[in-house]
Amino acid sequence: MTRELNVALIEQAVRDLYIEACIHASPDLRAAVRAAHARESKPVAQEVLGQILQNMDLATENGLPSCQDTGLCVVFLDLGQDLHLIGGDLNDAVNRGVARACLEGRLRASSLTPLTRQNTGNNTPAVLHLRIVPGDGAHLTVAPKGFGSENMSRLKMLNPSDGEEGVKDFIVETMRLAGGKPCPPVILGVGIGGTAESCALLAKRMLLRPLGQRAEDPRLARMEEELLERINALQIGPMGLGGDTTALAVHIAELPTHIAGLPAMVNMQCHASRHREMTL
Ligand code: SF4
C-alpha cells in the first residue's frame, strides 16, 4: 500500500535540521577534534584546537551558530518509491524550510546570484540531491556547506595511466595548494571514477560518513590511512598556523568509470563539519 507524506513535514524537518546542524557540533566531530588536541605536539596548534572545542561548547550553550558562515544549504533526500507526497510542491517545501531556518535561526544570508552578486536574502534555493530508493520512507540529510572550504575543492580528469599513484598525488597536492584557507583541520571527501558530475557528488556524499569510520573496501581503507598520514605530514596545521593536525579524516569511495578516463574529485570540508539527518 502506498504511504502518504505531507511535504509540510519535510519543510519543518529541513528547518529544524539546518538550525540544529549550525549550532550543535556532532559527537563524532567533537571526539575527533578532542583526540587531535590530545596528540598534537605543537603548542600553538594545540591552543587552536582547544579554541575550536571551546567554540563548539559556547555555540551549544548560547544557541548560536558555531561559525558565522552558515553555508549554502545542501539537502540529500532519499525518497521511497512507495511513498506518495501530498500537500504541494516538494522543491518549494524544501526551500521554505531553508528560508524559515535562515530567518528563525538567525543564520547568515549567504546565497546570491553568482555574477550580479544579488543576495536572495534567505539562503534559498537549497542544493537538493534527490534519490529514489526502495520502501515508503523519506530519509533527509541537511548539510550546510561553508565556502572557505568549498572553494578549495578540486576535480581532475586524470589519464588512466596516472593510476592510483596519480590520484593520491592529486589529493595531497589539493591539500598543499589549499593551505590554511579551508579552515583546517579538514575532512577530505574523495570520489574516484564515474563521470565528472557523479564523481563530484560522490565526493560530497563522502563528507556525510561518520568520522572514525573507514571505507568498507580494505584497499580504499588503506589508501585513506596513507593519505591522512601524507596530508598531516604537510604540517599546515589547525587554521594554517602549523602543526600535526591538518586533516581529521580522508573518506574515499569509487564508481566504475570509462576505459578512457580516471576522474578524481576532492570535496574539502572545514572543521565546521555540519550535517544532520532524520527519517520521516
Ligand atoms: S570554511 Fe568553515 S570554518 Fe571557515 S568560515 Fe567557512 S564555515 Fe566557517
Side-chain angles (χ1 to χ4, degrees):
M1 210 174 75
T2 304
R3 180 181 158 234
E4 288 189 340
L5 179 71
N6 196 309
V7 295
L9 293 174
I10 294 178
E11 171 189 329
Q12 186 65 37
V14 168
R15 177 222 173 264
D16 295 347
L17 295 174
Y18 189 3
I19 294 175
E20 202 187 314
C22 287
I23 295 174
H24 303 290
S26 58
D28 62 326
L29 178 64
R30 282 174 187 268
V33 178
R34 259 199 307 270
H37 180 259
R39 53 168 191 265
E40 177 61 60
S41 70
K42 308 286 186 307
V44 171
Q46 200 175 45
E47 171 73 24
V48 174
L49 290 169
Q51 287 173 1
I52 290 172
L53 287 167
Q54 198 186 6
N55 181 60
M56 287 175 184
D57 290 341
L58 284 170
T60 293
E61 280 164 31
N62 296 296
L64 292 169
S66 60
C67 183
Q68 38 74 37
D69 178 0
T70 50
L72 270 196
C73 190
V74 183
V75 176
F76 297 89
L77 181 55
D78 288 350
L79 278 180
Q81 64 187 23
D82 298 325
L83 190 65
H84 179 208
L85 295 178
I86 58 168
D89 183 284
L90 170 66
N91 292 283
D92 289 348
V94 169
N95 285 327
R96 274 197 305 274
V98 170
R100 282 180 55 206
C102 185
L103 187 73
E104 296 164 23
R106 292 169 293 162
L107 308 182
R108 191 181 78 184
S110 306
S111 175
L112 46 71
T113 310
L115 298 181
T116 65
R117 312 306 286 177
Q118 196 172 357
N119 201 300
T120 67
N122 55 16
N123 277 347
T124 60
V127 179
L128 178 59
H129 300 295
L130 206 52
R131 223 166 31 179
I132 303 298
V133 297
D136 62 2
H139 190 77
L140 187 66
T141 305
V142 176
K145 189 64 171 70
F147 256 55
S149 54
E150 190 73 358
N151 282 337
M152 295 299 112
S153 302
R154 283 171 89 217
L155 170 74
K156 186 168 183 182
M157 307 304 279
L158 289 98
N159 282 320
S161 59
D162 292 331
E164 185 175 319
E165 288 311 310
V167 171
K168 287 194 286 202
D169 288 347
F170 162 68
I171 294 165
V172 176
E173 181 197 52
T174 299
M175 189 68 238
R176 190 180 53 73
L177 292 173
K181 288 182 194 152
C183 299
V186 297
I187 298 148
L188 290 93
V190 178
I192 304 171
T195 54
E197 86 283 9
S198 66
C199 186
L201 184 53
L202 184 64
K204 177 75 82 192
R205 284 191 185 277
M206 281 303 97
L207 298 178
L208 306 180
R209 193 206 288 168
L211 288 168
Q213 195 177 304
R214 283 260 162 267
E216 279 177 23
D217 182 334
R219 184 174 49 85
L220 294 182
R222 274 196 302 278
M223 203 169 150
E224 290 177 353
E225 276 164 35
E226 182 196 326
L227 282 164
L228 185 59
E229 222 168 276
R230 281 179 65 181
I231 285 167
N232 283 331
L234 295 171
Q235 291 281 310
I236 294 166
M239 298 308 286
L241 295 173
D244 309 324
T245 318
T246 300
L248 298 172
V250 182
H251 292 169
I252 306 176
E254 45 179 22
L255 281 171
T257 191
H258 191 277
I259 49 171
L262 178 53
M265 168 82 188
V266 177
N267 196 188
M268 193 72 79
Q269 171 64 63
C270 60
H271 68 263
S273 170
R274 299 161 290 196
H275 46 94
R276 280 287 187 283
E277 54 190 297
M278 183 188 280
T279 301
L280 293 166

